[in-house]
Amino acid sequence: MNLPELANPRILEQPIYQPGKPIEQVAREHGFDVGEVCKLASNENPWGSSPLAMEAGRQALQAIFLYPEGSGLALREKLAQIHGLDANQFILGNGSNEIIELLGHVFLQPGDEVVVGEHAFVVYKLVALLMGAKVVEVEMPRLTHDLNLMWQSITDRTKLVFLPSPNNPTGTANTAQEIDSFVRSLPEHVVFCLDEAYAEYLEEPFDLRPYAREGRKVLGMRTFSKIYGLAGLRIGYGYGSPEMIGLLQQARQPFNANSVAQACAIGALGDSDWVETCRRRNRAGLEQIRVGCSAIGLEVVPSQANFLLVKVGDGKAVFEKLLARGIITRPMSQALSEFLRISIGTEEQNERVLLALEQILQQDSTDT
Ligand SMILES: *Cc1c(COP(=O)(O)O)cnc(C)c1O
């Protein structure tokens, strides 16, 4: 018997997540110094992380020979204070991606159905497939989640519904009114997960906390990877009713969130000025890219996050041409192959990607 024959067949069929290309690899392959490469591929914070977060991390390094406090009580207490919930309404994850996996472990069995948008963040689908659940992909007219269509896709076998708002990679968000009526209309046997990875970029994010307080079957998920600038540490959290969180706690590994990450997250939460500055700069950057693209005749999908989809024609080809200029963006899969996802960078980085796009377009038009 060979090794793959011994494997869970679902592992053999599992689609592979394609992350943004690392800076070092692009530098090596295209002959740049690391400092010359500009990465606008993973929606990281181009301004780095809060100085308060980094200071907290330096302090925490003194004690990395000790195991972390398993449940992350100090961070959960801080979150409880900020959100007006109890500490037992929060669970930490090794990135919020881990929380998605925990949802799968807690709720999914083979034959269950998971409802997602056709262009939703892909990790929901990966987790559902791994658990042997059926993924029901719902059309997204104008690249936005259509909550009526999603509601119509719910059956007796539906266990989980995921809504990322704003969504990655489309950048589109749903209104508070839409989300409210959707949540209230869900049948008793369905768990609703609102992925708020980009909520801090919204002017008025939807407030899921009242639903968690009412004990509804909802889970909100947030991350420190995006506006908080801690993507390398892998820390995120989920919140919901104490019952919901209790079930998720049962499924996690004993020390899933590391001590340095917990400390940095507490530091980051104490620096709301930093978050506000990044939100403001991001909004200016979105506008810069939108205006710049329009000036060279490129359509963009209106975004409420820290990235946007640009319609470039042959996404893979333009991705490669940008790589050759030391700029990493994110090509899309088949369904969105005309688009490229570009994360908002610093003003300088945005300028650089716009100039490169203009040159590529000009070159393409003289070639034909
Ligand atoms: C980036 C992102 C996440 C969070 O990822 P982490 O595991 O916390 O780094 C979750 N959902 C969406 C939609 C994202 O884009």
Side-chain angles (χ1 to χ4, degrees):
M1 246 194 171
N2 62 28
L3 209 47
E5 280 171 336
L6 294 175
N8 172 348
R10 295 205 289 267
I11 284 293
L12 304 178
E13 290 162 15
Q14 180 72 1
I16 294 176
Y17 177 84
Q18 296 288 354
K21 274 207 164 197
I23 290 176
E24 289 73 13
Q25 185 188 343
V26 172
R28 201 176 337 110
E29 290 175 359
H30 294 270
F32 292 102
D33 287 337
V34 162
E36 293 172 324
V37 176
C38 157
K39 185 176 181 222
L40 301 175
S42 302
N43 307 338
E44 292 137 339
N45 187 331
W47 299 284
S49 23
S50 147
L52 295 188
M54 288 195 285
E55 183 48 38
R58 273 189 289 270
Q59 300 275 334
L61 280 178
Q62 320 261 336
I64 53 172
F65 61 96
L66 297 172
Y67 277 102
E69 203 285 306
S71 75
L73 185 61
L75 175 52
R76 288 188 299 115
E77 281 176 343
K78 178 87 183 165
L79 290 166
Q81 178 200 337
I82 289 171
H83 289 295
L85 297 168
D86 287 329
N88 66 359
Q89 295 189 270
F90 292 89
I91 178 166
L92 306 185
N94 195 260
S96 56
N97 273 313
E98 190 191 15
I99 309 282
I100 303 172
E101 193 177 343
L102 296 180
L103 276 170
H105 283 305
V106 170
F107 292 109
L108 297 180
Q109 289 192 281
D112 288 341
E113 293 178 0
V114 176
V115 172
V116 296
E118 60 176 336
H119 307 300
F121 186 52
V122 71
V123 175
Y124 319 133
K125 180 176 173 172
L126 300 186
V127 167
L129 291 175
L130 203 53
M131 306 297 158
K134 180 179 162 201
V135 180
V136 178
E137 292 182 272
V138 181
E139 259 184 73
M140 290 175 59
R142 291 177 312 286
L143 302 181
T144 305
H145 281 88
D146 182 322
L147 300 187
N148 288 323
L149 289 181
M150 287 182 76
W151 189 82
Q152 286 163 27
S153 306
I154 289 169
T155 71
D156 290 347
R157 314 193 80 168
T158 308
K159 272 284 183 64
L160 280 172
V161 178
F162 284 98
L163 179 66
S165 185
N167 178 42
N168 170 16
T170 60
T172 51
N174 293 89
T175 66
Q177 208 178 358
E178 283 174 334
I179 301 173
D180 172 72
S181 19
F182 184 68
V183 179
R184 291 186 184 282
S185 69
L186 288 173
E188 271 290 294
H189 63 280
V190 173
V191 170
F192 174 68
C193 175
L194 182 68
D195 185 344
E196 305 178 285
Y198 304 96
E200 295 87 0
Y201 292 102
L202 295 173
E203 309 265 346
E204 283 177 48
F206 177 74
D207 190 355
L208 190 70
R209 293 168 298 190
Y211 306 80
R213 283 188 204 103
E214 283 170 23
R216 284 183 184 265
K217 298 188 182 79
V218 300
L219 185 80
M221 283 191 324
R222 293 200 172 201
T223 180
F224 289 95
S225 299
K226 305 293 158 59
I227 208 164
Y228 291 104
L230 301 177
L233 285 173
R234 315 302 306 124
I235 181 102
Y237 63 95
Y239 63 93
S241 66
E243 199 178 19
M244 170 74 75
I245 297 303
L247 286 169
L248 293 166
Q249 294 283 15
Q250 300 255 68
R252 72 168 171 82
Q253 292 296 314
F255 306 104
N256 64 326
N258 73 76
S259 56
V260 178
Q262 291 181 30
C264 289
I266 293 173
L269 288 172
D271 198 350
S272 47
D273 287 352
W274 166 262
V275 173
E276 186 48 44
T277 302
C278 294
R279 181 175 16 245
R280 206 180 49 241
R281 288 175 176 169
N282 179 70
R283 217 165 287 146
L286 268 177
E287 189 60 9
Q288 184 189 0
I289 300 264
R290 189 188 65 77
V291 170
C293 281
S294 145
I296 53 176
L298 290 177
E299 259 180 68
V300 304
V301 178
S303 166
Q304 308 211 46
N306 66 338
F307 56 87
L308 41 67
L309 283 181
V310 183
K311 199 172 192 174
V312 293
D314 184 344
K316 287 252 156 55
V318 176
F319 163 73
E320 290 293 342
K321 289 174 185 176
L322 286 169
L323 276 187
R325 287 170 163 79
I327 302 170
I328 318 174
T329 57
R330 193 71 155 266
M332 296 285 100
S333 59
Q334 194 58 40
L336 294 172
S337 63
E338 294 174 295
F339 294 94
L340 211 51
R341 197 192 68 195
I342 302 180
S343 304
I344 302 303
T346 62
E347 196 176 340
E348 233 180 342
Q349 291 174 322
N350 300 338
E351 190 90 9
R352 183 168 160 196
V353 72
L354 285 168
L355 185 65
L357 283 171
E358 185 177 6
Q359 289 168 350
I360 289 166
L361 289 180
Q362 264 169 10
Q363 200 160 35
D364 285 354
S365 67
T366 48
D367 286 352
T368 48

